[in-house]
Amino acid sequence: MDKFSSILTNFANKINLGGLRIDPSGYCCLDVDNGTLVHIKYDNKRDGLILISEIGELPYMNRAAIMRYLLRMNNDANETKGMTLSFNTESGKAALGYQYPLRFLTNEGFEEVFKMFIDEVKRWVSRLEGFVQGQLPEGEESTLSEQPTTDQSSNTDLPPQFMIGA
């Protein structure tokens, strides 16, 4: 966990977040662009880095079709860049996760991995926004709905702004 801690401390100093603290289990959270929470965790079993971020609530309308689509996209590395899409049944939200072994990670490499992850989160948030507006995922059929969908705010192309999460 020393390498993990060192890489995150270096990253925090570079982006002027000197107050970033990693808890004893190897966890911290960053708020990117005032609303995109990125959970960063040390994977003790695999000596690796885990990044997780929610990408949005799945609408009730066509939820099954959207879930099938997300599952299908997990089998296409070109679509997910090797990341994993998931769904939390309690919150009704989808998330994107990524694992990376620490033995290959440098300070500069972490910055690249983190940027790639944020870019993918934004891309998937945008895709889900289309589904919230009623678009069907490619190759999926419509399913019935009982409840209305909710709107989600759109992202801009501004550089990320960081805050320490709770």
Side-chain angles (χ1 to χ4, degrees), residues 60-131:
Y60 287 98
M61 176 185 263
N62 298 319
R63 181 174 276 186
I66 295 167
M67 287 175 36
R68 282 191 307 270
Y69 172 77
L70 296 177
L71 183 60
R72 194 165 31 102
M73 292 300 100
N74 277 334
N75 286 327
D76 187 344
N78 291 325
E79 282 296 327
T80 60
K81 310 285 189 281
M83 299 176 195
T84 303
L85 295 158
S86 62
F87 178 74
N88 182 323
T89 57
E90 290 181 20
S91 70
K93 294 182 180 181
L96 186 67
Y98 190 60
Q99 293 185 16
Y100 198 89
L102 278 180
R103 70 178 180 266
F104 300 122
L105 201 58
T106 63
N107 290 332
E108 296 78 20
F110 175 78
E111 291 175 32
E112 291 174 22
V113 166
F114 193 79
K115 181 184 180 326
M116 178 182 68
F117 183 75
I118 294 299
D119 289 347
E120 283 303 296
V121 166
K122 288 179 179 182
R123 189 169 73 88
W124 282 99
V125 164
S126 178
R127 268 193 191 177
L128 284 184
E129 286 174 349
F131 301 152

Side-chain angles (χ1 to χ4, degrees), residues 9 12-13 15-22 28-30 163-165:
T9 299
N13 290 335
I15 62 172
N16 297 318
L17 280 181
L20 179 68
R21 298 291 176 257
I22 302 164
C28 69
C29 183
L30 290 177
M163 292 172 42
I164 297 172

